[in-house]
Amino acid sequence: KSLAMTAALLFATQAASDQPVEVMILGTYHFANPGLDMHNAEIDDVLAPQRQKEVVAVVDALARFKPTRVAVESRADDKPDRALDSYTEYLAGKYSQNRNEIYQIGYRLASQMKHEQVFGIDADGEFPFEGLQTFADANGRAAELQAAIDEIGVRTRQFEERAKSASVGALLREMNEPAHIREDHAWYMRTLSYGVGMAQPGAKLVASWTVRNIEICARLVQLVKPGDRIVVVYGAGHSHLLRQCVQDMPGWKLAEPNDYLPDDAGCLARLPCE
């Protein structure tokens, strides 16, 4: 009987570990305009009544994924379980007016799903851009590098213009299109051309960016349990590498946000538009 019980326990443990994990990487723009990027989009107030309706529509749509956990772009290395105190305070009625997408989407979604915790998985990282600039200046490529920087500015202004008429759901759908994600990441890959011999500032930039995202994914891996369905709310620039990490993890499946997000008309993917 003891052997039978042991065998049953081992079987149950193996079955649990075989449960697939589904992860949705939801790339977002920064609702609160924190000014942390080379070019920062200035958009209208997410707390405006119409925008709040659109945010609610996004969260309602994401809830159809039935997430068991929500992870966000916040550091929690000092928390043994990575659970964020600010979510507990959010549930108590604080921070309802916080514009950050962590609160507007991450915490709102977790609250709607009646989760007791939201988890922070962000990691520190270096972004050695000065080395790239120094190399470009010394090798007659300063104008070329500036053009690449200006390209980001042009795309940012285009996003601002699109945001004047598009809903929050439509904006998120566009930035979560796989082709758009690859295009964003291509900017980093093009910096690999900056270097010669032992001097490789482009490679160091890409490597540093990759290391940060791998550390973020490591924190996600250490958090997730077999059978979890987890939504990761993160700045869209991280999407490519985080999606790649999810796709490369044995037993994990990448869930596409655009299978759930509403479009400009409020129509939901996989469901007829009424």
Side-chain angles (χ1 to χ4, degrees):
K1 184 175 181 180
S2 178
L3 287 174
M5 291 178 64
T6 301
L9 179 59
L10 288 172
F11 178 80
T13 301
Q14 179 64 38
S17 65
D18 287 343
Q19 294 180 45
V21 169
E22 291 195 55
V23 180
M24 177 190 295
I25 305 297
L26 177 68
T28 71
Y29 57 98
H30 294 304
F31 291 4
N33 300 325
L36 299 177
D37 300 320
M38 282 189 286
H39 289 275
N40 299 279
E42 296 183 5
I43 54 177
D44 59 331
D45 191 354
V46 74
L47 296 181
Q50 178 57 36
R51 288 303 194 194
Q52 282 294 289
K53 291 180 182 178
E54 294 165 4
V55 170
V56 168
V58 166
V59 171
D60 286 347
L62 294 174
R64 295 188 298 120
F65 177 63
K66 298 181 180 178
T68 59
R69 295 174 188 255
V70 174
V72 298
E73 189 175 353
S74 186
R75 292 172 192 160
D77 287 339
D78 59 336
K79 307 292 182 184
D81 56 1
R82 312 205 67 80
L84 294 165
D85 294 336
S86 54
Y87 177 63
T88 302
E89 295 169 348
Y90 175 88
L91 292 178
K94 295 180 64 177
Y95 301 122
S96 63
Q97 297 301 298
N98 193 304
R99 292 170 172 80
N100 191 292
E101 62 277 5
I102 290 174
Y103 295 81
Q104 291 295 316
I105 294 182
Y107 287 3
R108 195 188 296 246
L109 175 61
S111 175
Q112 185 161 320
M113 300 306 299
K114 302 191 183 308
H115 294 178
E116 295 182 357
Q117 297 174 312
V118 169
F119 305 91
I121 59 171
D122 201 23
D124 287 322
E126 296 181 356
F127 195 75
F129 192 74
E130 288 185 4
L132 197 68
Q133 290 179 311
T134 299
F135 181 91
D137 291 343
N139 290 273
R141 299 183 65 182
E144 181 184 346
L145 180 59
Q146 186 58 52
I149 297 171
D150 293 343
E151 175 190 330
I152 299 175
V154 168
R155 293 177 64 181
T156 301
R157 302 290 84 79
Q158 290 173 340
F159 177 81
E160 289 176 341
E161 191 63 28
R162 175 74 176 115
K164 292 178 181 179
S165 59
S167 67
V168 172
L171 292 172
L172 293 176
R173 281 183 64 86
E174 290 170 12
M175 62 178 47
N176 282 281
E177 284 288 346
H180 185 99
I181 293 169
R182 287 192 298 271
E183 184 179 353
D184 273 354
H185 188 67
W187 190 94
Y188 292 97
M189 298 305 293
R190 286 197 293 269
T191 67
L192 292 176
S193 70
Y194 292 82
V196 61
M198 296 295 291
Q200 296 292 340
K204 288 181 179 178
L205 182 74
V206 173
S208 295
W209 181 240
T210 301
V211 166
R212 182 184 171 195
N213 282 279
I214 289 295
E215 288 213 4
I216 293 166
C217 195
R219 287 161 171 77
L220 176 64
V221 170
Q222 294 152 19
L223 168 71
V224 169
K225 306 298 182 186
D228 263 342
R229 299 170 62 84
I230 185 163
V231 171
V232 178
V233 181
Y234 242 83
H238 298 268
S239 290
H240 178 85
L241 290 173
L242 293 183
R243 286 165 62 94
Q244 180 179 329
C245 190
V246 170
Q247 290 173 309
D248 289 346
M249 275 298 298
W252 284 27
K253 176 183 177 182
L254 179 68
E256 289 291 349
N258 286 357
D259 284 345
Y260 297 88
L261 289 170
D263 62 15
D264 254 342
C267 302
L268 300 179
R270 296 183 174 178
L271 291 177
C273 188
E274 297 180 358

